[in-house]
Amino acid sequence: MAVESMSIATLFSNSGPLLRYATTVIALFIALGPSARGQEPNDDAAVQTDPASETDPGAEVETKEVQPFDFDPYRTLIWVASDSPRVCADTLRDDLQKVLDRDFHAVWRTKIEDAPMSVASMAMRVLSEVNFDTLAATDPVIAVKRSHGDAVRIRFAGDVGRYASSILTTTGRMEEIRARLAGDPDSPKNAWLRILHAIEGDAVALKDAWAKEDTEAILVSRGMAETLTEPEAKIIVPPITGQVIDAAEAYDKIFIVRIRTATSPMKVESVEFDTLMRYFGDTSQATVSSFNLLPEVVGATLRDVFAPVARIDDAGKSNAVGLVRASGLVTDKNSPALVDVGDVLVPMVRKDDRNGNPISIGPLDWAYLLAKELDGRRVKMDFHAGRAGGLQGRKNARTHRVGLRIRPRKDQTLLRLHAKGDPNQPLIGYEIYEKELEGKSMTFIGRTDWNGRLDVEPTDEQPLRLLYVKNGGAVLARLPMVPGHHEKMVADLGGDDMRLQAESYIRGVQNSIIDLLAIRELFKARIMMRLERGDLEPAEELLEVLRNQPTNERLANDMGKRQSEFIKAIGKNANQQRKVDEMFSVTREMLTKHINPKLVRDLEEAVIVAKENGGKLPPKSDEETDGA
């Protein structure tokens, strides 16, 4: 009790060595700063925590050590889809890992698995057309009615087992779920499994059951669950393996490898899926004649489709600076994980909401980054885009800007131009020019055909080509292209035909003004000559004919009507509207200056003077003659 009542100061005063030790520890702790408390002071290592995110209390929580971006290896998943049980992840894993380690040992943390059934089925059909939405739509989910009395309390699959009495599904789906179940079936997070019941029929019958009042929840694909509206469905993700959504959150790159052994030679095709941007790259294809060579060929296609990521840290209107991921781990300057001078990258932007779900995501339209200079692990790039902006913006935790390196694999790219909002209206005969990247000179490439198309081929000098679309001498669009990157690219442009029609009309009006000016001057000369000779009656007849010539008011009214028609036909294209307005404005000034009623009024006054003088104009005085 005496010790308990003793003050801290008294305790340390009697313990000199203990006090000095404690003081030293505290000083060292303060000097080390955040790193002594398990925090990383580097911005690249900062962990962003979303207050809206929640975790299943029954799930195992894995803590991930966050590394600086240039020292953070890619987490990669390779899904193998094959038409033969002889070729699968188990038979390929060891040899394929050895092949991949030659190039990616330091920069990849790789897992090789068989593709989930839904992914494999889709990949075996058309791998080049696979996208994230179609893959994610196949994920099994639990759809709970939002009208359920405990819908607010249901957040995880385990909650469904506690608050619902039944989950309906098909027999095939039930067998699939039991085979893919993650963890112990008797754990609380898998309580939903005990209330799973199969119905007779297929997915259509299951959707019909959703409308019944006594149905609480159904187990269906995510794609179908998102179509349930009466009542609306609350989607719960069950803890099973092979979920595309889970894989996309757990890995940085997912590679799908399709192997066809039924053909001779066997065919291998691979594609990369960048999970942050939910972007599928181009496919790489190869043939192989022997099963022993499969790991080598598969590894070659994976190396071919791999796209290094450069995080955009600074971006201006025409340039950007990026940090290449895992570049600090690379020791070989020829590593496929690096970005070299001359490489082309596709700029991409992802903006998330507060829950981490993307609001907008994907590559910028008609935009590329060209690597110009390496500065350590950073790369300086020129930004070429069809429109200004795109990469600029305020930095925040919910906005991601990256560039993915590309490797063109096709011989050419088909460029097609069509009218804005109307793919069935091709822009025919439009001129395509190429501008030098570092200069101002432009070279004519060709004209679009009857369907608005033109084949654009790569050049040996530079993969990136800066194209301009012209029509009638006016530049309509700026289209940066990497021929061979895409098989086909479509530009949705505001057609220039109406502006050309307006220009043609204005030129006709201007020519009419010039002709009318000459006619009026000719009439004036003839009328004055007759008045001077005393031919009053013929002079009045000519004056009447002059009055019937087009007037300023008549021409101006006609121009006003046609201008309204052209503006309406052009639509919302502000640039073309401005050009049309300028042409009409210049023509109105010309009309006001040269076609006005003063000439007719002067001649009418001359006729009056002639009548008062006996039908003849009085001779001009010497001053009038000199003035004339």
Side-chain angles (χ1 to χ4, degrees):
M1 295 295 293
V3 174
E4 292 178 359
S5 60
M6 188 181 300
S7 67
I8 297 295
T10 305
L11 177 62
F12 279 136
S13 67
N14 296 329
S15 306
L18 178 61
L19 177 60
R20 287 192 297 272
Y21 174 75
T23 304
T24 303
V25 170
I26 293 172
L28 179 62
F29 186 82
I30 295 173
L32 289 176
S35 59
R37 298 185 289 275
Q39 300 176 10
E40 177 60 59
N42 193 317
D43 292 340
D44 293 331
V47 180
Q48 301 294 335
T49 304
D50 187 349
S53 63
E54 301 176 54
T55 56
D56 187 345
E60 297 181 1
V61 179
E62 180 181 355
T63 58
K64 178 197 168 191
E65 183 180 358
V66 180
Q67 301 290 341
F69 191 77
D70 50 341
F71 284 91
D72 190 14
Y74 295 88
R75 297 165 297 162
T76 60
L77 172 64
I78 300 173
W79 272 335
V80 178
S82 169
D83 60 359
S84 170
R86 183 179 176 182
V87 179
C88 62
D90 290 338
T91 59
L92 286 175
R93 184 175 293 109
D94 293 340
D95 291 336
L96 179 57
Q97 188 66 64
K98 292 177 182 178
V99 172
L100 295 176
D101 283 347
R102 299 173 192 167
D103 295 311
F104 304 110
H105 177 72
V107 296
W108 279 16
R109 299 294 178 264
T110 307
K111 190 172 185 179
I112 303 173
E113 295 182 345
D114 288 320
M117 185 183 302
S118 57
V119 175
S121 176
M122 193 173 300
M124 293 304 292
R125 292 198 298 272
V126 186
L127 182 61
S128 59
E129 296 181 4
V130 173
N131 57 57
F132 176 76
D133 291 335
T134 56
L135 285 182
T138 63
D139 280 345
V141 297
I142 302 173
V144 180
K145 288 184 176 179
R146 288 197 178 274
S147 58
H148 190 281
D150 293 309
V152 176
R153 298 182 179 88
I154 298 175
R155 297 179 297 168
F156 309 105
D159 299 332
V160 182
R162 287 190 287 272
Y163 294 109
S165 59
S166 175
I167 304 174
L168 303 181
T169 190
T170 61
T171 303
R173 182 76 70 180
M174 179 179 286
E175 294 175 356
E176 176 192 356
I177 290 300
R178 293 186 183 279
R180 295 171 55 183
L181 188 67
D184 183 5
D186 297 326
S187 67
K189 70 175 183 179
N190 287 323
W192 61 278
L193 198 62
R194 293 190 289 271
I195 61 172
L196 195 61
H197 302 288
I199 66 169
E200 295 182 2
D202 55 9
V204 177
L206 194 61
K207 189 173 183 179
D208 293 338
W210 176 261
K212 297 180 180 179
E213 187 174 351
D214 58 344
T215 299
E216 297 177 87
I218 60 176
L219 181 67
V220 292
S221 67
R222 180 182 293 271
M224 178 175 286
E226 291 176 348
T227 65
L228 301 175
T229 55
E230 297 180 1
E232 186 180 353
K234 183 175 185 178
I235 297 178
I236 306 297
V237 180
I240 60 175
T241 60
Q243 290 273 40
V244 174
I245 291 290
D246 291 342
E249 293 177 352
Y251 296 92
D252 304 305
K253 303 276 191 181
I254 298 178
F255 299 90
I256 303 176
V257 180
R258 183 180 71 181
I259 304 174
R260 294 185 182 275
T261 62
T263 61
S264 183
M266 293 181 288
K267 294 182 179 180
V268 175
E269 188 172 2
S270 298
V271 67
E272 179 200 83
F273 171 52
D274 186 87
T275 59
L276 175 65
M277 291 297 163
R278 298 185 178 180
Y279 177 77
F280 276 86
D282 292 336
T283 59
S284 177
Q285 302 177 4
T287 59
V288 56
S289 57
S290 170
F291 284 97
N292 295 332
L293 298 176
L294 264 177
E296 287 284 349
V297 175
V298 171
T301 59
L302 292 174
R303 188 183 195 276
D304 191 34
V305 298
F306 171 62
V309 177
R311 187 187 67 195
I312 308 300
D313 292 332
D314 187 18
K317 291 182 179 181
S318 59
N319 52 59
V321 178
L323 179 65
V324 182
R325 180 164 187 172
S327 54
L329 303 174
V330 177
T331 57
D332 183 2
K333 65 178 181 179
N334 296 318
S335 171
L338 295 178
V339 174
D340 296 326
V341 173
D343 284 344
V344 180
L345 297 86
V346 177
M348 301 188 183
V349 177
R350 170 173 173 159
K351 296 181 180 180
D352 293 340
D353 59 17
R354 293 183 178 180
N355 296 323
N357 299 316
I359 302 171
S360 62
I361 187 171
L364 301 179
D365 291 335
W366 298 101
Y368 289 98
L369 291 162
L370 179 62
K372 299 293 291 183
E373 181 183 346
L374 299 181
D375 182 11
R377 291 185 286 274
R378 297 185 181 274
V379 56
K380 297 180 179 179
M381 301 166 285
D382 287 343
F383 179 53
H384 298 278
R387 62 182 64 182
L391 281 181
Q392 292 178 297
R394 186 175 300 175
K395 294 182 179 181
N396 58 70
R398 298 206 300 265
T399 300
H400 309 273
R401 298 178 179 88
V402 303
L404 266 64
R405 190 196 64 194
I406 59 173
R407 295 292 193 209
R409 297 179 176 84
K410 300 174 178 62
D411 295 332
Q412 61 186 16
T413 294
L414 178 64
L415 173 64
R416 184 176 190 267
L417 309 180
H418 67 73
K420 196 171 187 65
D422 188 2
N424 295 322
Q425 185 180 342
L427 302 182
I428 302 171
Y430 280 50
E431 302 169 349
I432 308 298
Y433 287 81
E434 179 179 9
K435 180 179 176 294
E436 292 181 352
L437 295 179
E438 303 294 341
K440 296 183 178 181
S441 64
M442 301 185 73
T443 306
F444 177 72
I445 294 179
R447 296 178 185 271
T448 55
D449 62 10
W450 63 272
N451 198 21
R453 301 171 304 181
L454 179 69
D455 289 326
V456 183
E457 298 179 352
T459 60
D460 297 332
E461 296 81 11
Q462 178 61 249
L464 178 63
R465 304 186 70 178
L466 190 56
L467 305 184
Y468 282 79
V469 181
K470 288 187 175 183
N471 190 32
V475 176
L476 302 182
R478 183 173 187 258
L479 303 178
M481 279 187 63
V482 178
H485 178 214
H486 295 293
E487 183 176 352
K488 180 179 180 181
M489 296 187 73
V490 179
D492 186 8
L493 304 180
D496 200 39
D497 294 337
M498 294 309 301
R499 184 193 65 80
L500 291 178
Q501 290 184 28
E503 184 176 340
S504 177
Y505 167 77
I506 283 298
R507 285 178 179 173
V509 172
Q510 291 174 350
N511 290 334
S512 297
I513 293 174
I514 295 173
D515 293 341
L516 183 57
L517 176 62
I519 291 172
R520 284 161 61 94
E521 290 297 329
L522 180 61
F523 270 96
K524 176 183 176 181
R526 289 180 176 179
I527 292 172
M528 292 301 293
M529 183 178 64
R530 281 163 175 73
L531 291 177
E532 291 172 355
R533 290 194 315 217
D535 298 333
L536 182 60
E537 186 174 348
E540 289 181 332
E541 291 177 357
L542 288 175
L543 181 59
E544 185 61 29
V545 175
L546 177 60
R547 290 193 184 101
N548 292 330
Q549 294 298 314
T551 62
N552 182 300
E553 293 76 8
R554 175 183 166 186
L555 292 175
N557 291 337
D558 289 343
M559 287 176 57
K561 292 178 182 179
R562 293 304 303 274
Q563 183 177 6
S564 299
E565 293 174 0
F566 286 126
I567 294 298
K568 183 177 180 181
I570 288 173
K572 298 181 179 180
N573 192 317
N575 185 41
Q576 291 191 28
Q577 287 185 4
R578 178 181 55 79
K579 292 179 180 179
V580 170
D581 288 339
E582 286 179 357
M583 288 189 294
F584 275 85
S585 177
V586 170
T587 306
R588 283 195 180 91
E589 291 179 3
M590 178 180 176
L591 179 64
T592 302
K593 180 178 180 180
H594 298 290
I595 309 299
N596 54 64
K598 183 177 183 302
L599 183 142
V600 176
R601 288 199 300 266
D602 290 344
L603 291 175
E604 289 175 343
E605 291 178 1
V607 169
I608 294 173
V609 171
K611 285 182 179 180
E612 294 177 348
N613 194 45
K616 183 179 180 180
L617 282 176
K620 295 182 180 180
S621 63
D622 294 338
E623 294 180 358
E624 291 176 339
T625 303
D626 293 341

